Amino acid sequence: FDFLEDSEVASPAWPLRLVAREEGATADLWLSAPEGTRLWRARAPGPPGRPVRRFLLLESRKRHGSFTTVFAPRRTVRSVEIRDAEMVVEHADGTVHEHAGSRESWRIDLRSGDATSSIELAGAVPARAATSELARGLDRAATHDGRPRIVVGEREVMLTLGEGNYRRSEQTWEKAGRPTATLRLRATRGELQVVVASHTGAPVLIPDDAVNEMDNEHPDVNASGMQLYLATHASFTGALLRPAPDGVARVRPLTRDPMPISATSVMTPDGWEIRCSIPIGATRDLDLAVVVNEIPPGRERRRGQLVLGGGAGEWVYLRGDRHDMRESARLTIGP
């Protein structure tokens, strides 16, 4: 990015202890990250009206894991020990806080001299179950994290995304005209075939050289189209696809490794359709995310999104072309 200055990168041993300083104030900071995580440091523009400042960024290629941060602005923490889902924080006055997390709660045991007490934080929200109106081909035993599991083979699988998959803006799904999208999947001869038919009304098309001078996002997020992501244990790739009048879908890579995809498009009476073919070789298990951008004519920004494996209760604002793969489907390639 051309707005970055003095960028540096390191691969430290974790956990890492740092000291933050600004305008005479100091604070202690502990960071823990999965092995192999890289630490970037760079200077970039600060908040409006403030000068350029230094930022830290953690970069990890792992698909699962967590970053743990302990921030002590009053510098009252003597040491921090971080291991998996447990953490021990020792304060300068000898008080010790032991943190332990689980899927249902977070527990803090406090020790100060001979006195002990504990705090139990409950009310964890379980991973949301699949909300797609799935037709045939679905293994109804969802994955452990609540995502739908779909067996895909020579026989085509069809899914419908509707109200339960709608990520809204100021209008609800009902007030947006009840938009839907149909997703058809088929795996044959080392290829995954994905067909998305958007039933969202007349498509909004933009020229290939469109610019968006008043927005940080690429202009194609506010046009008719879809975002497609594939992940395996060894790779992650994504692309944004837009229908076009000439029948050749426009494809923009969203990840460092471009998706090897061929795609065509067609306009339909109630929207548009994009057909994709993606080589997957002998892969038998992968994660698929599909996000359909919904925008009516005359609107400057998309009104909402239809999301495979998610969307309900969410808001579309500030998402750009990014996506959390926790909202996806686990595909098993079968006969």
Side-chain angles (χ1 to χ4, degrees):
F1 300 104
D2 57 6
F3 55 81
L4 294 178
E5 303 173 0
D6 304 327
S7 58
E8 304 171 283
V9 65
S11 298
W14 304 97
L16 193 65
R17 180 176 180 178
L18 305 171
V19 177
R21 296 183 177 89
E22 182 177 337
E23 299 179 355
T26 57
D28 292 320
L29 177 69
W30 283 262
L31 296 176
S32 180
E35 183 180 354
T37 300
R38 301 203 300 175
L39 177 67
W40 285 86
R41 183 170 65 179
R43 291 168 55 82
R50 302 294 297 274
V52 170
R53 62 175 55 190
R54 191 176 295 278
F55 289 85
L56 296 179
L57 175 71
L58 298 177
E59 177 196 16
S60 176
R61 291 182 174 272
K62 293 186 180 296
R63 293 187 51 220
H64 301 285
S66 61
F67 299 143
T68 303
T69 305
V70 177
F71 185 63
R74 289 183 285 182
R75 311 201 73 181
T76 59
V77 174
R78 178 183 298 162
S79 66
V80 175
E81 182 180 354
I82 302 171
R83 51 181 184 272
D84 297 328
E86 299 181 356
M87 178 170 57
V88 179
V89 179
E90 181 181 359
H91 292 259
D93 61 1
T95 302
V96 176
H97 296 175
E98 297 183 0
H99 297 252
S102 69
R103 297 178 67 90
E104 292 79 25
S105 65
W106 186 269
R107 180 182 178 87
I108 307 122
D109 293 323
L110 304 96
R111 301 198 315 269
S112 180
D114 295 331
T116 60
S117 61
S118 63
I119 300 172
E120 187 85 16
L121 303 178
V125 178
R128 181 172 53 253
T131 53
S132 301
E133 302 167 14
L134 304 183
R136 46 195 165 83
L138 173 65
D139 177 353
R140 297 204 173 266
T143 57
H144 71 280
D145 52 6
R147 295 179 298 132
R149 184 187 298 275
I150 307 169
V151 179
V152 181
E154 290 283 350
R155 183 182 180 187
E156 188 176 75
V157 176
M158 185 172 69
L159 307 86
T160 300
L161 308 182
E163 181 178 12
N165 308 98
Y166 193 61
R167 183 183 284 161
R168 60 173 290 190
S169 56
E170 68 276 8
Q171 292 183 325
T172 64
W173 180 76
E174 287 279 354
K175 292 183 177 180
R178 304 167 64 92
T180 62
T182 302
L183 173 63
R184 307 204 308 271
L185 304 173
R186 185 167 177 258
T188 179
R189 298 178 181 178
E191 282 192 344
L192 176 65
Q193 298 174 1
V194 180
V195 180
V196 175
S198 178
H199 312 292
T200 54
V204 174
L205 308 179
I206 61 173
D208 295 342
D209 57 355
V211 296
N212 192 352
E213 296 179 350
M214 304 300 293
D215 200 318
N216 292 328
E217 304 295 348
H218 197 283
D220 58 12
V221 302
N222 292 315
S224 296
M226 69 185 214
Q227 297 157 218
L228 181 68
Y229 307 85
L230 284 179
T232 68
H233 70 282
S235 66
F236 173 64
T237 185
L240 189 147
L241 298 90
R242 293 185 291 110
D246 61 4
V248 180
R250 303 300 189 257
V251 179
R252 178 171 66 88
L254 297 179
T255 53
R256 181 178 301 175
D257 297 325
M259 179 180 291
I261 184 173
S262 59
T264 60
S265 65
V266 63
M267 308 304 163
T268 62
D270 61 349
W272 51 266
E273 182 179 280
I274 292 180
R275 294 175 170 264
C276 312
S277 293
I278 309 161
I280 58 173
T283 302
R284 287 293 173 263
D285 293 287
L286 54 89
D287 293 336
L288 170 69
V290 176
V291 181
V292 178
N293 290 317
E294 185 264 326
I295 177 172
R299 186 181 171 98
E300 292 186 2
R301 287 177 170 78
R302 61 191 171 193
R303 181 166 53 186
Q305 294 175 312
L306 293 161
V307 184
L308 173 64
E314 299 177 350
W315 300 85
V316 73
Y317 304 119
L318 302 178
R319 292 182 180 268
D321 53 23
R322 298 165 292 280
H323 184 67
D324 186 340
M325 288 299 286
R326 286 178 294 185
E327 293 186 323
S328 62
R330 168 57 59 90
L331 301 190
T332 298
I333 308 302

